[in-house]
Each structure stands twice: as C-alpha cells, then as structure tokens.
Amino acid sequence: MAEISTIARPYAEALFQVAKQGNLQEWADTVSQLALIAADPQVVAIVGDPHTTDTQLFDLFSGVLGGSLPGNAVGLLRTLIENGRLALLPEIARQFAFLKNAHEGIADADITSAFALDDAQVAELVAALERKFAIKLRAKVTVDPSLIGGVRVAVGDEVLDTSVKTRLEQMRTSLTA
C-alpha cells in the first residue's frame, strides 16, 4: 500500500496550483480547517462508517464550517469524499503549507526551549537561524522543561538540538559503548 504522503501529494499540488490563481492565504486557512475537522476522532468514526453517505459527509464538513465553504473548496471536498480520501486531509494540509511556504520563501521553525524566551531572545535566535538556513523563518516557540537547558530547533526535516538533555544522553551513550 502506498504511503499517505505519496497519495496526498497530487491533491496538495493540484490544490496549490488552483490556490496560486486566487487568495493563497484563504486557501491555506480553508484546507487547515478541513484538516482539523477530518482529524477529529468523532469525524474519523463517521467517515469510517460504511453506512454514511457522501451527502452526509459533505453536510457534516460544511455544517462544521458554518456553511462558509468557498466555491472551489466545495469541489475539493466533493472529490475527496467521492474518492474515499477524506482521511488524507491532514497530510494534504501539511503538504499544501509546505508548498505555500516554499512559494513565499518562508519555512516554519519549531523552537523548543527549556525555559521561556522573551521577544528579544526569540528575535536573536531567529536571526541566527535565518542566516544559517538562508531562508526567512516563521518561528513557533514552545517550552519543555525536560530539556533541562538549551533549545531544540526543527526546520523542515533538519533538527538542531543543543539541549542539555540530548548532550547528557550522548555522554551516557559514549560512556557505555
């Protein structure tokens, strides 16, 4: 069986081509909302129920969105429902966001710190990371005290981990080897 990312890629790419012709951010918001709905455990159960009709699924999604589904998104939703691909929505949204960011020359940076960082510290860290990766970064900062100290930064599939926790684990590994 093909991987979810492989199956979702053509949908994300086609959607991105359509979205570039209109409001890219509006499309990103819509796909993100659809993905959140599709990932809800109750919705997953309804989608997996063989007695649920395509019309019921469409009504469910459009109802949760309050009937504010943009015209082109109706086509996307109907296509995914007809092809039994609603479960792909979270992956489609992830790949769409990646394509959008690449188009805009931006990447998401997930920064995890052992301690809360103030705005100046975040700005300094982001500036250093932008120089390293040679791309504009949109940072999301979270705090994880289990890191003990330092930060862990994920940009795309690259991870920079300078946390004390990781260094201690590396020391433990080298001492027991």
Side-chain angles (χ1 to χ4, degrees):
M1 183 167 170
E3 292 217 16
I4 290 175
S5 60
T6 304
I7 299 168
R9 186 173 298 113
Y11 289 100
E13 290 172 349
L15 179 60
F16 180 72
Q17 293 305 318
V18 170
K20 281 195 318 186
Q21 308 303 319
N23 185 335
L24 200 53
Q25 187 57 49
E26 181 181 324
W27 271 103
D29 294 341
T30 300
V31 173
S32 178
Q33 289 173 338
L34 290 172
L36 286 173
I37 295 167
D40 183 271
Q42 292 175 331
V43 173
V44 170
I46 293 169
V47 169
D49 184 351
H51 301 296
T52 307
T53 67
D54 290 356
T55 303
Q56 290 171 325
L57 289 173
F58 182 83
D59 291 344
L60 170 67
F61 276 79
S62 62
V64 170
L65 289 173
S68 65
L69 203 56
N72 289 338
V74 170
L76 168 69
L77 188 56
R78 289 200 188 280
T79 300
L80 292 173
I81 291 170
E82 289 169 9
N83 293 317
R85 302 290 195 203
L86 281 175
L88 295 178
L89 269 167
E91 181 62 20
I92 292 169
R94 189 188 69 73
Q95 289 188 26
F96 181 86
F98 179 80
L99 292 168
K100 178 182 174 288
N101 287 346
H103 176 73
E104 295 172 345
I106 298 173
D108 290 327
D110 293 322
I111 301 171
T112 306
S113 173
F115 303 99
L117 300 174
D118 63 32
D119 292 341
Q121 291 171 317
V122 171
E124 184 180 332
L125 180 58
V126 168
L129 291 169
E130 286 178 344
R131 285 190 301 275
K132 176 175 180 32
F133 289 103
I135 192 167
K136 178 116 175 85
L137 296 175
R138 182 176 30 237
K140 179 183 138 214
V141 181
T142 56
V143 175
D144 180 2
S146 74
L147 295 180
I148 304 169
V151 296
R152 181 176 45 230
V153 178
V155 177
D157 60 355
E158 195 165 343
V159 177
L160 303 173
D161 194 340
T162 63
S163 68
V164 172
K165 177 181 179 181
T166 298
R167 289 184 182 181
L168 288 172
E169 289 173 1
Q170 290 169 343
M171 286 173 51
R172 182 180 56 131
T173 301
S174 66
L175 288 172
T176 58

